[in-house]
Amino acid sequence: QVQLVESGGGLVQAGGSLRLSCAASGNIFSINDMGWYRQAPGKQRELVATISISGSTNYADSMKGRFTISRDNAKNTIYLQMNSLKPEDTAVYYCNARGWRDYYGMNYWGKGTLVTVSS
């Protein structure tokens, strides 16, 4: 079993920056890819970025150049550095982790952290 806890959400003005954190605990060795997803009011959940245990990253096109995902395996934590924030970035941001090897197909989610960008 894996538990994911997000933190770092809050209110920020347009053009500002914010860093989200997601700490994983439990059966950590079962996890490979981790990532961030977000869901804005009235919209479907969408991919923000993913990162493998080796550091390979993938970003949604709308986030490229502004958001940076990183990973600290020693702390079992991933981060999302968000710069040049826009009101359109307002959403609940969810941490995700996927299993590998014997745990391939397992999928874990955090409870989410709210990011509000004011104009």
Side-chain angles (χ1 to χ4, degrees), residues 38-61:
R38 70 184 186 184
Q39 185 169 21
K43 297 184 178 180
Q44 296 181 347
R45 185 179 63 186
E46 64 176 343
L47 170 71
V48 176
T50 61
I51 184 168
S52 72
I53 194 168
S54 63
S56 179
T57 60
N58 181 58
Y59 296 90
D61 288 341

Side-chain angles (χ1 to χ4, degrees), residues 3-55:
Q3 296 80 43
L4 305 174
V5 180
E6 304 98 333
S7 62
L11 176 64
V12 64
Q13 294 184 352
S17 299
L18 206 62
R19 189 173 84 151
L20 306 182
S21 299
C22 173
S25 62
N27 193 14
I28 302 302
F29 65 85
S30 69
I31 297 173
N32 185 7
D33 290 354
M34 296 184 69
W36 293 95
Y37 294 74
R38 70 184 186 184
Q39 185 169 21
K43 297 184 178 180
Q44 296 181 347
R45 185 179 63 186
E46 64 176 343
L47 170 71
V48 176
T50 61
I51 184 168
S52 72
I53 194 168
S54 63

Side-chain angles (χ1 to χ4, degrees), residues 62-116:
S62 62
M63 273 65 103
K64 289 182 178 179
R66 298 191 300 121
F67 292 6
T68 302
I69 189 170
S70 60
R71 185 166 185 161
D72 186 339
N73 290 327
K75 294 183 177 180
N76 301 316
T77 301
I78 64 167
Y79 306 91
L80 184 68
Q81 179 65 47
M82 304 184 292
N83 298 324
S84 301
L85 283 164
K86 306 174 181 179
E88 306 92 271
D89 296 319
T90 295
V92 176
Y93 286 71
Y94 296 93
C95 183
N96 171 258
R98 295 181 181 272
W100 67 331
R101 295 185 293 185
D102 291 343
Y103 300 90
Y104 182 81
M106 298 298 294
N107 197 16
Y108 307 95
W109 293 94
K111 295 295 184 181
T113 185
L114 177 63
V115 172
T116 303

